[in-house]
């Protein structure tokens, strides 16, 4: 798993580029495969699921299922704070036993701020954002 091209980044902002390498439990069952090794042809019918959660509430900020490729971009989130990215495989309706997870800080860079770094908000308390 790579997040913005890095194995374990401390932070991300705006859209998040996620990449992964295919693995195959059948063809690699008798050997350990380093995470930096290129993709191995996956089992037929394998898809991937991805979700991004707030770590303070476990609320799902973004999710996608049925991914077949090795790259996906999470659109910019409307949240500032710590997030957890989870990726797992699915085959014949069965989810993998383990998920690849990474926790990092997420900072929206489209929110308007004052000179002191405070967010500009409306009278209703909503953050003002720039047009993207």
């Amino acid at each position: 798993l790579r997040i913005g091209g890095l194995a374990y980044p401390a932070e991300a902002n705006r859209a998040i580029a996620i990449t992964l390498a295919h693995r195959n439990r059948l063809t690699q069952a008798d050997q350990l495969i380093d995470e930096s090794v290129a993709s191995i042809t996956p089992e037929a019918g394998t898809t991937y699921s991805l979700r991004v959660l707030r770590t303070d509430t476990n609320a799902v900020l973004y999710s996608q299922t049925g991914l077949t490729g090795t790259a996906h971009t999470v659109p910019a989130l409307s949240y500032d704070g710590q997030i957890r990215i989870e990726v797992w495989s699915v085959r014949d309706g069965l989810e993998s036993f383990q998920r690849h997870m990474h926790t990092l800080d997420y900072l929206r860079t489209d929110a308007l701020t004052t000179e002191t770094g405070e967010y500009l908000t409306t009278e209703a308390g909503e953050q003002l954002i720039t047009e993207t």
Side-chain angles (χ1 to χ4, degrees):
L1 178 68
R2 296 289 184 262
I3 301 165
L6 302 171
Y8 300 101
E11 61 186 30
N13 57 43
R14 292 204 178 259
I16 306 169
I18 306 287
T19 55
L20 58 97
H22 292 299
R23 294 292 183 253
N24 186 319
R25 68 185 176 94
L26 298 176
T27 60
Q28 67 183 72
D30 62 343
Q31 55 192 311
L32 293 175
I33 306 295
D34 185 84
E35 70 173 341
S36 64
V37 173
S39 285
I40 297 170
T41 303
E43 290 179 60
T46 298
T47 63
Y48 301 95
S49 294
L50 161 81
R51 69 181 186 173
V52 179
L53 303 99
R54 291 176 58 149
T55 58
D56 59 346
T57 65
N58 281 329
V60 176
L61 299 170
Y62 177 81
S63 68
Q64 189 71 41
T65 60
L67 301 171
T68 57
T70 59
H72 184 76
T73 300
V74 175
L77 305 170
S78 298
Y79 173 73
D80 277 322
Q82 196 170 64
I83 61 172
R84 182 175 64 248
I85 297 173
E86 298 181 350
V87 178
W88 65 97
S89 63
V90 179
R91 188 187 50 78
D92 293 334
L94 300 173
E95 295 184 358
S96 58
F97 179 67
Q98 297 178 328
R99 294 180 181 203
H100 199 109
M101 294 185 260
H102 182 61
T103 301
L104 63 153
D105 292 326
Y106 183 83
L107 177 62
R108 303 176 42 174
T109 57
D110 59 349
L112 298 175
T113 58
T114 66
E115 295 83 10
T116 60
E118 296 179 40
Y119 291 111
L120 293 176
T121 59
T122 65
E123 291 176 354
E126 297 175 355
Q127 290 181 355
L128 297 173
I129 60 171
T130 59
E131 293 289 324
T132 54

